[in-house]
Every structure is written in C-alpha cells, then in structure tokens.
C-alpha cells in the first residue's frame, strides 16, 4: 500500500462514516446502502486527488460469508471489503501497525484514520496514526469541494476591452469620483 513519496495514507471506516454523515444517511434511507457506499467513494475520490492522499475506504463484510476484496478506483483510492468475520476496525488496526514501519523509513509522512469510533481512535493513536472524526472529515471534504470550485471556476469575461467595464458599478462610481478630485 505504501509508495515512495506518498504524502499520507488515509484509512476510512466506511460504514462508520455513512452512519455519521447526514447526506449519506439520507442516501442510504432513500436509495439503499450500495448507493451510500458509492456516494462516499465518489466524495473520497475527489478529496484524495486534491489532497494527494493514498486512501483506502474499508467496509465490513463481517456478516456476509464472502472473502476479502479490494477494488482499485483510482491511483490514489481503493475500496476494501473485509473477510467474513473481520471488522473494518480490526483491518484498520492491522494496517496502522504495518504502516508504522513505512513512517519510520520515511516512505510515507503520516497515517490518518477517519472514524468516530472512540475505541478505534485510542487504538490507532497508539500506533502513531492521526485521528479524524467523521464530522471533521465531512468538513474537510466540503472545504475541498469549495477550493476546487474556486480554483477551476472559469473567470468572468468582460464584454468590453476596457478594464473599467469589468468591475462592478459601485467601484466604477468610486473611481470616477477619485478621477474628478484629481482634475
């Protein structure tokens, strides 16, 4: 999972986040758990790309008789479904333990775990990982969406070649007043 020059690894407790974000709870109630999962994955895809984090969203398969499965979504984002009987918490704890050596070798700078599970928080901090609550992650994702919109939003083009015509009327009025005072 670790690569050379990776800024950070973000491990996301998928069902914990779905249960904490109001938008995902609404999606789950309206369209089902699968829709909520993919809405979370879409949000994390954009967030990971903007932040440059290698992200793994982990979902329990605790009550389903299936083997583990990892889906690579993008270069920076993967989704992992645990083995039958394994919780996302135990998978994340093991990942933190194994990533500890990558931090020591400077292959990655930090490990961040997003969950609101208090016991999980204490456990992962013991492995040297940082903790991000579900609500903090939600706020960071929303702030990232705003930054991306601002960065890539096309600039308003003026209908005229004159700079004065591209500013608002109030500023234009103030400039005219200043110009009159100079004469």
């Amino acid at each position: 999972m670790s690569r050379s020059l990776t800024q950070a690894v973000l491990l996301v407790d998928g069902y914990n986040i779905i249960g904490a974000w109001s938008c995902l709870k609404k999606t789950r109630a309206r369209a089902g758990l699968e829709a909520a999962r993919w809405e979370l994955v879409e949000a994390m895809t954009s967030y990971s790309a903007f932040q440059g984090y290698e992200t793994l969203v982990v979902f329990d398969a605790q009550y389903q008789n299936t083997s583990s499965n990892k889906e690579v979504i993008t270069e920076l984002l993967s989704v992992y479904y645990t083995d039958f009987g394994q919780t996302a918490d135990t998978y994340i704890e093991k990942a933190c333990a194994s990533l500890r050596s990558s931090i020591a070798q400077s292959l990655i700078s930090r490990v961040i775990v997003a969950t609101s599970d208090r016991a999980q928080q204490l456990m992962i901090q013991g492995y040297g990982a940082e903790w991000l609550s579900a609500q903090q992650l939600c706020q960071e994702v929303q702030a990232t969406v705003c930054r991306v919109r601002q960065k890539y939003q096309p600039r308003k083009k003026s209908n005229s070649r004159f700079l004065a015509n591209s500013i608002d009327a109030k500023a234009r009025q103030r400039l005219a007043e200043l110009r009159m005072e100079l004469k």
Side-chain angles (χ1 to χ4, degrees):
M1 178 168 190
S2 62
R3 289 187 323 235
S4 180
L5 302 175
T6 298
Q7 178 182 356
V9 173
L10 173 62
L11 302 168
V12 179
D13 186 343
Y15 289 133
N16 185 276
I17 301 299
I18 288 173
W21 290 9
S22 61
C23 61
L24 295 177
K25 287 193 283 190
K26 288 176 187 173
T27 299
R28 183 183 60 199
R30 181 179 29 80
L33 189 56
E34 182 71 18
R37 275 196 299 257
W38 286 110
E39 189 174 323
L40 173 61
V41 169
E42 286 177 17
M44 297 314 303
T45 300
S46 300
Y47 179 73
S48 298
F50 191 81
Q51 297 293 345
Y53 293 165
E54 187 172 335
T55 302
L56 182 62
V57 181
V58 182
F59 292 108
D60 295 320
Q62 184 180 11
Y63 301 113
Q64 297 178 9
N65 196 5
T66 58
S67 59
S68 65
N69 179 27
K70 182 177 180 179
E71 294 178 33
V72 177
I73 307 300
T74 68
E75 183 181 326
L76 291 174
L77 181 93
S78 298
V79 176
Y80 185 81
Y81 298 92
T82 65
D83 279 322
F84 174 71
Q86 183 183 32
T87 65
D89 292 355
T90 56
Y91 180 85
I92 290 170
E93 288 168 20
K94 287 178 183 178
C96 286
S98 68
L99 289 169
R100 186 185 223 176
S101 65
S102 295
I103 292 174
Q105 296 170 10
S106 298
L107 297 174
I108 57 174
S109 60
R110 40 198 286 236
V111 175
I112 308 162
V113 176
T115 183
S116 286
D117 184 320
R118 178 76 173 139
Q120 181 78 359
Q121 174 193 350
L122 296 173
M123 185 67 71
I124 59 101
Q125 286 176 328
Y127 288 113
E130 299 172 34
W131 170 69
L132 196 61
S133 74
Q135 292 311 315
Q136 288 171 316
L137 179 63
C138 184
Q139 290 167 358
E140 285 196 19
V141 167
Q142 289 172 346
T144 299
V145 167
C146 290
R147 286 195 302 266
V148 168
R149 281 187 188 141
Q150 288 173 352
K151 184 174 181 177
Y152 296 106
Q153 188 174 37
R155 302 277 186 248
K156 273 177 42 176
K157 297 206 175 188
S158 172
N159 293 335
S160 170
R161 63 186 181 116
F162 297 109
L163 178 62
N165 293 333
S166 65
I167 59 176
D168 65 73
K170 188 175 180 180
R172 199 174 315 125
Q173 167 102 22
R174 180 69 181 128
L175 286 171
E177 289 169 3
L178 289 170
R179 192 170 48 246
M180 291 301 174
E181 289 175 13
L182 292 176
K183 289 185 178 182

